């Protein structure tokens, strides 16, 4: 609801409540009773009008009588069957290029998950839709939004008149945009996918999670020195700092080719994480007894938690429950329940794949150019269990090279990726 609409409600209520009293008459009792009946009716009508006006005026979908959002989520009729989540690992700083970006399709009905990994140098588009032309930089560089200080709200493009707001005539300002909204819009506009929530973790948060689970098993390609400790070649149980270094920094040269290589290491990390999570009870992950140590409390209550939309709607979409139930679920508890749920899925039913594409020169650097035809095929075969429309009309990725060669999507299930130290 914008402020103009709020003021409209206040004006109606004020007119009703502030009407000057008249000297009592014989019929005053009936009139008072009639007015008492009319006040709530007037308020309800005003509220309905305001909500309808708000829905029509937003530049995003209206889903419930909650705050209008600026990205597309899974349609209500499919929300209980399938969910889509944006995944990410932040760089050393939140404004740095991300270390990992992916999208998860969670087929709740079939108990299957497909994760499409995407090189951070994936080329987007340079038409002003985003503040950057590469995927991994979207989070740290959200597009500024136009803002009306008078109406105290975001202004849609069609409501702009030069430098002013068409509605009130005030001069517009800009405010920092939303990292998640822009990331969600990438999947909406470039890949035709809805996004129900996001799970983005900083490097230090991932270190804490790994350490809380007792480390992860990874296969080292060569003898490696990490944080002053030498690790021999082969499968080793790595503590958090070493595991994160090996998954995101080892041999990474900032190129699309080296990024696709580290994606393979990241698969090992997530396979081991899920394997270790599968051995934990819900109370192991989170409990309300401060005397008992659990896996997630220190992480989620610390400086580098798993970031997600923890509104009642966001939690409802994450847990597949109603908003009323979700709003009473604590933030740590929400993540615990979600991780517990997905870690019960057999690793053979969790598929990872890579966005099809090829490295291309762009300006002075290299970017990852998507193979559109292959991408549409991959999306429909592995990330579209309930017939979303994913074709040339909804998938709008830009190919920098005409007729690109077929790329290896590197499809594999995590049971084939999991390694275990002796």
């Amino acid at each position: 609801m914008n402020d103009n609409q709020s003021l409209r409600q206040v004006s109606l209520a004020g007119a009703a409540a502030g009407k000057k009293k008249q000297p009592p008459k014989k019929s005053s009792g009936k009139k008072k009773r009639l007015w008492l009946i009319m006040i709530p009716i007037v308020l309800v009508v005003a509220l309905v009008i305001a909500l309808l006006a708000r829905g029509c005026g937003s530049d995003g979908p209206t889903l419930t009588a909650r705050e209008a959002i600026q990205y597309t989520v899974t349609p209500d009729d499919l929300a209980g069957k399938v969910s889509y989540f944006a995944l990410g690992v932040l760089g050393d700083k939140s404004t740095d290029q991300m270390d990992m970006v992916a999208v998860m399709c969670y087929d709740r009905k079939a108990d299957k998950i497909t994760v499409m990994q995407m090189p951070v140098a994936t080329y987007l588009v340079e038409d002003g839709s985003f503040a950057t032309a590469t995927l991994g930089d979207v989070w740290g560089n959200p597009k500024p939004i136009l803002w009306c200080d008078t109406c105290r709200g975001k202004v849609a493009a069609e409501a702009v008149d030069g430098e002013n707001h068409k509605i009130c005539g005030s001069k517009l300002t800009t405010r920092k945009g939303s990292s998640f909204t822009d990331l969600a819009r990438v999947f909406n506009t470039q890949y035709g996918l809805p996004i129900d929530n996001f799970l983005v973790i900083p490097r230090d948060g991932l270190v804490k999670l790994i350490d809380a689970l007792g480390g992860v098993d990874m296969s080292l390609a060569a003898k490696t020195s990490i944080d002053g400790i030498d690790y021999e070649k082969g499968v080793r149980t790595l503590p958090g700092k070493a595991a994160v270094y090996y998954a995101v920094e080892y041999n990474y040269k900032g190129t699309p080719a080296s990024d696709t290589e580290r994606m393979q290491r990241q698969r090992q990390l997530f396979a081991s994480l899920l394997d270790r999570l599968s051995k934990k009870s819900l109370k192991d992950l989170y409990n309300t007894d401060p005397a008992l140590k659990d896996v997630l409390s220190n992480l989620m209550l610390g400086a580098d938690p798993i970031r997600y939309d923890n509104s009642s709607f966001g939690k409802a979409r994450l847990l597949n429950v109603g908003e009323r139930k979700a709003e009473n679920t604590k933030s740590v508890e929400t993540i615990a329940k979600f991780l517990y749920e997905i870690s019960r899925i057999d690793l053979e039913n969790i598929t990872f794949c890579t966005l099809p594409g090829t490295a291309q020169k762009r300006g002075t650097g290299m970017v990852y150019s998507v193979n559109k035809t292959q991408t549409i095929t991959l999306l429909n075969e592995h990330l579209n269990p309930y017939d979303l429309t994913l074709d040339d009309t909804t998938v709008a990725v830009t190919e920098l090279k005409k007729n690109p060669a077929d790329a290896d999507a590197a499809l594999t299930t995590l049971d084939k990726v999991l390694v275990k130290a002796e």
Side-chain angles (χ1 to χ4, degrees):
M1 187 184 304
N2 63 35
D3 279 355
N4 288 338
Q5 293 155 351
S6 299
L7 288 171
R8 184 176 184 181
Q9 287 187 60
V10 173
S11 298
L12 287 169
K19 194 173 181 70
K20 186 175 181 181
K21 293 184 179 180
Q22 300 296 325
K25 297 180 181 180
K26 290 183 180 180
S27 59
S28 62
K30 289 183 179 179
K31 288 184 177 180
K32 286 181 179 178
R33 287 194 295 273
L34 179 60
W35 191 237
L36 289 173
I37 293 172
M38 289 300 296
I39 287 175
I41 293 175
V42 170
L43 291 175
V44 169
V45 170
L47 179 61
V48 170
I49 291 172
L51 288 172
L52 289 174
R54 176 183 179 172
C56 294
S58 70
D59 58 356
T62 299
L63 301 166
T64 63
R66 69 184 190 89
E67 181 182 1
I69 60 174
Q70 306 300 320
Y71 54 90
T72 304
V73 302
T74 302
D76 288 345
D77 61 330
L78 295 180
K81 298 178 182 178
V82 63
S83 300
Y84 291 87
F85 304 116
L87 308 179
V89 176
L90 295 181
D92 193 36
K93 299 177 182 177
S94 62
T95 54
D96 290 345
Q97 188 176 71
M98 297 178 81
D99 291 326
M100 185 207 82
V101 184
V103 60
M104 173 197 289
C105 170
Y106 181 8
D107 186 342
R108 296 179 182 274
K109 187 175 179 181
D111 269 343
K112 291 184 176 182
I113 287 176
T114 300
V115 175
M116 184 172 72
Q117 296 172 284
M118 310 171 76
V120 293
T122 297
Y123 180 76
L124 299 178
V125 64
E126 295 181 67
D127 63 356
S129 298
F130 304 97
T132 177
T134 51
L135 175 60
D137 293 317
V138 168
W139 183 277
N141 299 277
K143 183 180 178 181
I145 60 174
L146 289 173
W147 187 267
C148 178
D149 289 327
T150 300
C151 298
R152 291 194 296 175
K154 178 182 176 183
V155 177
E158 59 269 20
V160 176
D161 182 13
E163 296 182 346
N164 301 324
H165 190 190
K166 283 183 181 178
I167 305 300
C168 67
S170 299
K171 187 173 181 178
L172 297 173
T173 59
T174 59
R175 289 194 176 188
K176 183 178 180 180
S178 164
S179 296
F180 166 57
T181 295
D182 277 11
L183 186 61
R185 288 195 304 107
V186 168
F187 295 110
N188 291 168
T189 62
Q190 300 292 291
Y191 298 93
L193 295 174
I195 293 294
D196 297 296
N197 209 321
F198 66 101
L199 295 159
V200 171
I201 188 168
R203 279 189 192 179
D204 288 345
L206 186 54
V207 168
K208 287 182 181 178
L209 177 59
I210 293 168
D211 285 338
L213 289 168
V216 290
D217 296 333
M218 299 187 70
S219 179
L220 302 182
K223 182 177 179 179
T224 307
S225 180
I226 306 173
D227 199 28
I229 300 174
D230 291 331
Y231 296 91
E232 296 295 328
K233 176 181 177 180
V235 180
R236 299 285 177 262
T237 300
L238 302 181
K241 197 168 183 179
V244 171
Y245 172 84
Y246 191 68
V248 302
E249 292 189 75
Y250 175 80
N251 274 355
Y252 179 58
K253 301 176 177 61
T255 62
S258 62
D259 196 7
T260 54
E261 288 177 4
R262 72 174 177 172
M263 285 182 190
Q264 305 306 313
R265 301 193 297 276
Q266 289 167 3
R267 293 181 184 191
Q268 282 189 14
L269 187 152
F270 288 117
S272 187
L273 270 179
L274 288 172
D275 181 61
R276 288 177 181 260
L277 283 167
S278 71
K279 296 173 173 59
K280 301 293 184 181
S281 69
L282 189 55
K283 287 186 177 180
D284 290 332
L285 298 181
Y286 167 70
N287 63 69
T288 56
D289 185 347
L292 298 176
K293 187 177 181 180
D294 62 40
V295 171
L296 291 172
S297 289
N298 285 340
L299 166 64
M300 295 303 295
L301 299 177
D304 300 292
I306 299 172
R307 303 180 185 184
Y308 72 103
D309 172 14
N310 63 359
S311 68
S312 59
F313 180 84
K315 290 190 288 188
R317 285 293 170 120
L318 203 60
L319 299 179
N320 193 28
V321 297
E323 284 190 57
R324 183 171 295 180
K325 183 175 181 179
E327 67 184 358
N328 295 320
T329 306
K330 295 181 179 179
S331 181
V332 184
E333 183 183 4
T334 298
I335 291 296
K337 287 182 174 180
F338 181 76
L339 292 180
Y340 179 80
E341 180 180 334
I342 64 171
S343 66
R344 305 304 111 172
I345 299 175
D346 291 338
L347 293 184
E348 64 185 18
N349 289 326
I350 301 178
T351 299
F352 270 58
C353 58
T354 302
L355 175 69
T358 184
Q360 293 291 323
K361 188 171 183 180
R362 185 73 175 176
T364 58
M366 298 294 291
V367 297
Y368 190 79
S369 176
V370 180
N371 182 317
K372 185 174 182 179
T373 300
Q374 266 192 281
T375 296
I376 292 174
T377 300
L378 180 67
L379 291 173
N380 279 301
E381 290 183 356
H382 296 282
L383 288 94
N384 189 19
Y386 300 102
D387 299 325
L388 297 173
T389 302
L390 299 177
D391 55 25
D392 278 328
T393 66
T394 57
V395 179
V397 293
T398 302
E399 289 182 323
L400 295 177
K401 183 179 181 181
K402 292 183 179 180
N403 303 316
D406 285 349
D408 183 7
L411 281 153
T412 188
T413 53
L414 288 191
D415 61 309
K416 295 181 172 62
V417 173
L418 181 67
V419 295
K420 292 190 177 184
E422 295 179 357

